[in-house]
Amino acid sequence: MTTHVQRLAEFAVRCRDQGVPERVREDVTGRVTDVLGNCLAAHADPDGDAAPAVLRAVRRWGGTGEATAAGSGDRLPAPAAALVNGTLAHALDYDDTHLPSVLHPSAPVVPAALAAAEATGADGAALVAAVAAGIEVCNRLGMASYLPEARNSLFFERGQHATSICGTLGAAVAAGLLYGLTEEGVAHAVAVAASMGAGLLEANRTGGTVKRAHCGWAAHAGVSAAVLAVEGVTGPPTVLEGGFGFFAAWLDGRYDESAMLFALGRRWELLRTVYKPYPTNHFTHPGIDCALALRAAGLPPGEVEDVELGVAAPVLRTIAEPREEKVRPRSPYHAKFSGPYTVAAALLGGGGLGLAADDFAALTPERLALAARVRCVADERASEIFPRAFAAVLRVRLRDGGTVEHRVDSSRGGPERPLTREELAVKFRANAGRALPADQVEALLAAARDLPVSASPASLLSLTVARPR
């Protein structure tokens, strides 16, 4: 009987050998573009101590230069380049999100694929097919963990980072395809990678920089697993469903087989992956939307007495607790996971599409003072919608006794309100413009859009390094 990992490997190799639908190819070029923009923005982040630390670490390791670290231009072994780029891709928490599994597939998969493509000399079309297969497998594993009765992913219920766990396997798929593995070889790469993926979410609550490296380590592990499979390391055929396999170890054997395998290759979960308009934890986005709407309607922030933010009950642990950590975050990065601080930032106004990376360069006294007036509570309607979309309601009491309220049932960029091509270009230009001159930003954007036709992964990454002025 065909096992789960064999089914996933069969699908992946079909993507490489038979191609993927045009709409999938177009979607993937957008994912690659978004990841590169996020990587470049992270290079210019004054609070970004994790990515520079990772780059320093891989420089210490040394090794044969096979692939490029975005932005810096370092030539590194493929797994090390994937580690750096995956860390950069996730460092600002600006990476895309699949619903309802609530994981960020592009941040681990795209860096792994870029590194493997450079190492093997693959062209843009091969890269696109590998990314499509890797993200789809990552998303399907996330879907398998979603429990309708809990309205949440079992990974999250247990404090596990689904992105770094499932992303490791998706990265192994993408890298394995680019290294030329057969169906059997891809299955072995995934089975090997299943022993490598990990990630805990406590940093969302009380600080630390390790979460920023989760997608980097997933990308690193995925490339490493593919190379090990190339050299003959094998994994168990029942690595996913076995008694001591992936689902037993992570989810106590509770998973949805149909969500993982049904209509694989015909119904693309990749296309349900949504982009972020703001560089913050995705659970904060509906609150930001509400605050921006009230600001646009003329709400004066200086007249705010107190604020109640109603969100889905499952997200309170991430953006509201412990309260003392959320109303006074430890760092600008920590503030990205704070419902009170992000609402305050939006009420006071920001750049880009409403809030941009530069708005989290430092904590400001004005935002901290306003954040202290924000209370987060569970909202029944938002809880009913979650996690098919992220919803919220914001109720503001003014100093004169008046009240104003705004509600959104699907955050901007979500399934009901996807970002337009023009909005994604605004995001990319703002991100890449933090590290590159305007003409180089435009050249990189054009090359990324041309990836399936003529641009190569190596030429694309060369454009991420600022030219001497």
Side-chain angles (χ1 to χ4, degrees), residues 182-219:
T182 63
E183 289 180 10
E184 182 181 15
V186 171
H188 283 308
V190 174
V192 171
S195 286
M196 298 176 172
L200 301 177
L201 289 171
E202 186 62 17
N204 284 358
R205 292 166 45 81
T206 57
T209 61
V210 66
K211 181 181 175 291
R212 299 183 224 190
H214 280 183
C215 290
W217 193 253

Side-chain angles (χ1 to χ4, degrees), residues 164-185:
S164 54
I165 297 166
C166 300
T168 298
L169 278 62
V173 166
L177 293 178
L178 290 161
Y179 278 104
L181 290 171
T182 63
E183 289 180 10
E184 182 181 15

Side-chain angles (χ1 to χ4, degrees), residues 6-24:
Q6 289 165 348
R7 290 276 303 277
L8 295 176
E10 289 170 4
F11 155 75
V13 171
R14 281 200 309 272
C15 290
R16 180 186 63 196
D17 295 349
Q18 300 177 19
V20 296
E22 182 178 357
R23 71 185 190 283
V24 172

Side-chain angles (χ1 to χ4, degrees), residues 218-250:
H220 176 279
V223 175
S224 299
V227 173
L228 289 171
V230 167
E231 297 299 338
V233 177
T234 61
T238 53
V239 65
L240 297 178
E241 68 270 35
F244 294 112
F246 181 87
F247 292 120
W250 290 111

Side-chain angles (χ1 to χ4, degrees), residues 94 277-280 288 292 342 345-346 349-357 359-360 367:
Y94 218 169
Y278 319 121
T280 64
I288 292 171
L292 290 173
T342 52
L353 296 175
L355 284 178
D359 296 312
F360 290 87
R367 287 170 178 167

